[in-house]
Amino acid sequence: MLARRHDPIVAIATAPGRGAVGIVRVSGQQLVGFVRQLLGRDLQPRQAHYLPFNDGQGQPLDHGLALFFPGPHSYTGEDVLELQAHGGPVVLQLLLQRCLEVAQTVAPEGLPVLPHLRLAEPGEFTQRAFFNDKIDLAQAEAIADLIDASTAVAARSASRSLSGAFSQEISVLRDALIHLRMLVEATLDFPEEEIDFLQKADAWGQLHTLQGQLAQVLARTQQGALLREGIKVVIAGQPNAGKSSLLNALAGAELAIVTPIAGTTRDKVQETIQINGVPLHVIDTAGLRQSSDEVERIGIARAWEEIAQADAVLFLHDLTRSNAPEYEAADADIATVLAQKLPKNVPVLHIWNKEDIANTATAVPEATAGLRLSAKHGQGLDALRQRLLEIAGWQSAPEGLYIARARHVQALQATGEHLAQAHALLQTADPALDLLAEELRLAQHHLGAITGEFTSDDLLGVIFSSFCIGK
């Protein structure tokens, strides 16, 4: 895609399927002649024109609106033509094909009207907006996040990122970092000067302030990334502890089959739920036990695979069997394996289920280390939802929260590591200024990767390939 980014492109810009309106979008340099050949007339910039869209024999394919946006005052920064027709798949495909045909029509000067016009690849319109300095990389990603937003909180946060709220915070950090680099490199360039530039300019104080600002931005970015990415929560435990019932209760729908028969769940069942706008990817797994059934053994193996990749595990216990020696021993064995398979930073929340009938048990453990609930009747579910938000690290949504991605968090963390190295160098009696300058340069490099100032072509390809075609 990067190698052909100067070719004119065309695509259907609306979602597949039937709808009231569908849009075909063309972007490229100098589209005026193409527009005239396609529509039989010139268009006034940024004005809607109602007219027929004709085929090669002059017969209307459809009637609709045509809008022309001359560059650089357009979405991509190039000339952009939008044809708004009825939203039938066949109609839009005919318009798309017509655009490609007209592009190869020979103009009076003997050349094609629009050479090299081709179908756009995923995200290519937005990629051109990025290359033409209409938006930065963080804003480009926010466009995809706004389209994919599944909650009102996520949509508003993506809109703030698109408007440049996140980019502005990165810009403030970058400007402060550039100023600090200037001081250090000036000292390197003029070592014979008697004035200690770094001490006079309070370089240590500036760096300390910059680290504090970075920490605040990182905290908000982590919240924004959580809002977008969510966390993976796996429900684990012995058969018939109520795992499927708990998934159904959290999802508010009958997703998993629930029966009194042990081993009913043979494979994972996954559902994404929203709690205060935060997505949680909850996975119900097969009951953990020794089994001679080959299918069940495969399901149990898959359960352990999911557990090993979890961000949090809900270890479900059955209160009605809590005093049975065999049950307690099996729970202890599961706990031992969990401790072996899970990284130390992955929390395990103990859930004691069947509170509604627990009074029939001869002994009920004090569940001080977990939560008691009834997945069947909903008792204790609100407390569980709140605990899941705490595990995820979610705080009440701050005003002005912007959406972010895991790569943004990683870039800010890398920036912080280099600033910490720079801080350590400045605290020495005779700082190695060349090393200090390099740490600051690397910090700026990671910061610039967020907005696209320093970004590899490979990363750009990965980012934009996840967009829908026509955007």
Side-chain angles (χ1 to χ4, degrees), residues 317 319 350-353 355 364-373:
H317 307 275
L319 277 171
H350 292 269
I351 306 295
W352 303 87
N353 189 29
E355 171 77 344
V364 177
E366 292 293 333
T368 54
L371 296 175
R372 296 165 65 111
L373 56 77

Side-chain angles (χ1 to χ4, degrees), residues 35 41 51 89 135 156 158 173 192 214 224 248 259 274 277 297 317 330 364 378 400-401 408 450 456 466:
V35 171
R41 56 172 291 184
L51 39 70
I135 54 176
R156 286 195 294 268
L173 292 174
E192 71 280 359
L214 176 67
N248 292 344
T259 74
Q274 306 285 344
R297 282 209 307 267
H317 307 275
V364 177
L401 181 66
H408 302 152
I450 294 174
S456 69
S466 65

Side-chain angles (χ1 to χ4, degrees), residues 83-94:
L83 305 177
Q84 299 183 7
H86 292 95
V90 174
V91 173
L92 294 177
Q93 286 294 336
L94 289 173

Side-chain angles (χ1 to χ4, degrees), residues 96-216:
L96 184 66
Q97 187 60 38
R98 179 60 182 153
C99 288
L100 293 169
E101 290 173 357
V102 169
Q104 299 307 315
T105 303
V106 178
E109 55 270 22
L111 297 174
V113 171
L114 193 61
H116 311 300
L117 178 67
R118 60 176 174 81
L119 295 176
E121 297 183 29
E124 196 165 3
F125 289 94
T126 302
Q127 187 190 65
R128 293 189 176 201
F130 166 69
F131 279 125
N132 293 324
D133 296 323
K134 305 296 290 185
I135 54 176
D136 63 33
L137 191 56
Q139 290 174 296
E141 291 171 306
I143 292 171
D145 294 335
L146 183 59
I147 293 170
D148 293 337
S150 57
T151 67
V153 175
R156 286 195 294 268
S157 299
S159 181
R160 292 189 190 99
S161 289
L162 178 56
S163 68
F166 181 36
S167 301
Q168 181 59 34
E169 295 216 3
I170 299 303
S171 178
V172 170
L173 292 174
R174 182 199 61 208
D175 291 346
L177 185 51
I178 289 174
H179 184 263
L180 188 55
R181 285 188 65 192
M182 177 190 69
L183 292 174
V184 173
E185 293 178 12
T187 305
L188 278 170
D189 290 340
F190 303 101
E192 71 280 359
E193 292 287 343
E194 294 180 1
I195 300 175
D196 186 343
F197 291 135
L198 297 183
Q199 185 175 1
K200 183 177 180 180
D202 189 23
W204 187 92
Q206 289 189 40
L207 178 56
H208 184 71
T209 300
L210 179 57
Q211 287 179 295
Q213 293 171 336
L214 176 67
Q216 293 176 4

Side-chain angles (χ1 to χ4, degrees), residues 46-97:
R46 291 172 293 282
Q47 291 186 18
H49 301 77
Y50 179 74
L51 39 70
F53 302 141
N54 295 330
D55 62 15
Q57 288 70 48
Q59 299 300 312
L61 296 169
D62 195 2
H63 288 72
L65 298 178
L67 296 95
F68 180 58
F69 304 90
H73 305 296
S74 68
Y75 178 70
T76 64
E78 303 172 331
D79 288 354
V80 172
L81 172 68
E82 286 195 355
L83 305 177
Q84 299 183 7
H86 292 95
V90 174
V91 173
L92 294 177
Q93 286 294 336
L94 289 173
L95 283 177
L96 184 66
Q97 187 60 38

